[in-house]
Structures are given as C-alpha cells and as structure tokens.
Amino acid sequence: MTKITEHLAKLNHRVTTAVTNAGRSENCVNILAVSKQHPASVVESALIAGLTDFGENHVHEGIEKIRLAGNKATWHFIGQIQSNKTRQIAGYFDWAQTVCTARIAERLNNQRPQHAANLQVCIQLRPSSAPERSGANSDDIDDLARTIARLPRLDLRGLMIIPLPGLDDAALRQEFRRARQIMESMKQYSDAVDTLSMGMSADLEAAIMEGSTMIRIGTDLFGQRNR
Ligand SMILES: *Cc1c(COP(=O)(O)O)cnc(C)c1O
C-alpha cells in the first residue's frame, strides 16, 4: 500500500463520518486532490489509489503535470486567475474554480479551444468582511452567474470559497452556510449548477456539515508542501 492509499483510506473514513453526521446521502462529496507544490509523480500514485480530480494553483506547474498525466485525470485550476494566464488555463484545464469577474469569464470563453469540451466554471466567493481577499462580492454574484451561464464555451457549475484562516467553528459554519445559500440561488441561472467547493484538510467536517459537494485536500493526502 502506498502512503497515498493509506492517507486516502483515512480521509474517506473522515468524509463518511462527516456525511453520516450531517444526515446526507453517501457519495455526495467528491475529493479534489490538491497536488500543488508536490512533484508530478504523486499524481500517478494518486490515480492508482483511485483519485480522479486534481487541483493546481500555478499555471506553469499545473501544465507540466497535465502534460505528464494527460487525460487520465480531470484538472481544476484553483489559484488566482490573472488575465494574462487565461489562455493557458482555457487551453489545458477542465475546470476553473476561481472566476471572480465577467472579464475573466469572457476571456476564458473566447480562448477555450474549439476541439475541447466546455470549461467547467465555479465563481469564487469573497469571504465575509475581507475586502482584500480575492473573490466576487455576494452582491455581484447574480450578475456574474447570469453572464457566465450565457457564455457558450463555459458551463456554470457552482461556487467555491476559501474562508479566512483562524475562524472558530461557529464562524466557519456560518461562512459555509452563506456560501451554500448563494450557490442554491445560482441554480436559477443554469441547470448545470451542482457544485459547492469548500472544505480543506483542516475544516472538511464543517464544510460537509454545511453542504459541501467537493472538498479540496492537499496536506492530508500528500503531506506537507515543501515549496
Ligand atoms: C492549497 C489549497 C488547498 C489544500 O489545502 P490543504 O489544507 O493542504 O488541504 C485547497 N484549496 C485551495 C484553493 C488551495 O490553494
């Protein structure tokens, strides 16, 4: 058994317990394996362990891994999207989870290669009372969701959030609950909306309690990042 297989077994146990405690149905939470800052070889082991979806937050590093593992995996961009990187994101990734503006959405739409399937998109929600953090403000989500839903090469899939660090459990739950409500309201703009990307190694239980459908796990699968 590889380390990743062992880690995944523990993680699956945590997820199952959380899902049961939340009274939710089995298999309602997908795992996004965050391979950022780990060597490309971890992807191969993770695929063998049964993981299918990988998250990267740097374009260049992500593309290196995508070139190696190719279409055996599904690739999610989870870093900040700079406008000069949209062409590469649209060219290589399957998902972009951190779309915050209509301008970025339009660039991704226009730059999605003809032969590729639609790019799957989540809007990143800015955490409450954190004007300096990236993400769309809750007041702007409606307009942005409507815009993305109309773009032909993008599929609007849902919402992602990275809460501020250091929140106590109650504040964290409240932040996740707010994200859930906004994600539910986005369903009016597209039938494809089904994803609430929230929960990391340290807070996946709270996220699952509040309705997460995709947890993004780095440390608890691959260990500490070295870079
Ligand atoms: C690094 C990262 C993660 C993984 O965090 P861990 O605490 O290592 O599980 C999840 N989401 C995003 C957006 C990240 O950048």
Side-chain angles (χ1 to χ4, degrees):
M1 223 164 59
T2 67
K3 243 199 169 108
I4 291 174
T5 309
E6 239 172 83
H7 289 169
L8 180 58
K10 281 196 192 130
L11 179 62
N12 279 331
H13 183 72
R14 270 177 83 189
V15 171
T16 307
T17 306
V19 165
T20 307
N21 289 341
R24 298 177 59 195
S25 54
E26 257 180 276
N27 304 321
C28 61
V29 181
N30 297 312
I31 296 171
L32 177 64
V34 179
S35 46
K36 69 179 189 199
Q37 296 169 42
H38 289 282
S41 56
V42 302
V43 173
E44 207 53 50
S45 318
L47 282 165
I48 291 168
L51 290 157
T52 55
D53 286 65
F54 296 85
E56 289 285 334
N57 67 342
H58 283 111
V59 174
H60 181 75
E61 183 187 340
I63 289 175
E64 270 178 34
K65 290 181 186 139
I66 294 170
R67 286 204 172 116
L68 284 170
N71 53 16
K72 284 181 284 182
T74 301
W75 294 91
H76 300 239
F77 190 75
I78 58 171
Q80 259 188 53
I81 305 180
Q82 292 160 318
S83 56
N84 63 352
K85 297 288 166 58
T86 52
R87 184 175 300 280
Q88 286 174 300
I89 294 169
Y92 283 91
F93 285 82
D94 304 293
W95 287 62
Q97 293 207 5
T98 43
V99 174
C100 310
T101 65
R103 178 160 173 270
I104 292 291
E106 278 155 10
R107 288 178 68 92
L108 291 168
N109 177 72
N110 296 340
Q111 295 170 342
R112 186 67 171 167
Q114 285 305 322
H115 59 83
N118 278 5
L119 184 67
Q120 308 299 299
V121 166
C122 290
I123 295 174
Q124 182 176 2
L125 175 65
R126 194 193 309 278
S128 314
S129 353
E132 75 290 357
R133 292 289 171 136
S134 53
N137 289 324
S138 53
D139 289 347
D140 298 331
I141 300 278
D142 272 341
D143 280 349
L144 184 53
R146 202 180 294 116
T147 299
I148 294 171
R150 284 196 196 122
L151 290 169
R153 305 306 321 282
L154 306 184
D155 288 343
L156 179 65
R157 294 297 299 273
L159 198 66
M160 88 84 95
I161 182 165
I162 309 170
L164 288 178
L167 299 183
D168 65 24
D169 194 56
L172 192 58
R173 291 277 297 269
Q174 193 175 350
E175 188 73 339
F176 286 146
R177 198 169 314 143
R178 166 176 168 267
R180 163 85 186 265
Q181 285 162 357
I182 294 172
M183 177 270 193
E184 293 292 342
S185 77
M186 285 166 59
K187 290 182 175 172
Q188 66 187 295
Y189 301 113
S190 167
D191 292 339
V193 170
D194 62 357
T195 300
L196 184 55
S197 171
M198 61 187 195
M200 309 195 281
S201 294
D203 60 12
L204 68 92
E205 279 84 3
I208 289 173
M209 203 56 87
E210 298 299 342
S212 168
T213 68
M214 188 183 291
I215 53 174
R216 308 179 308 265
I217 307 297
T219 311
D220 282 6
L221 278 173
F222 301 120
Q224 293 291 343
R225 291 178 282 273
N226 355 335
R227 270 181 282 150

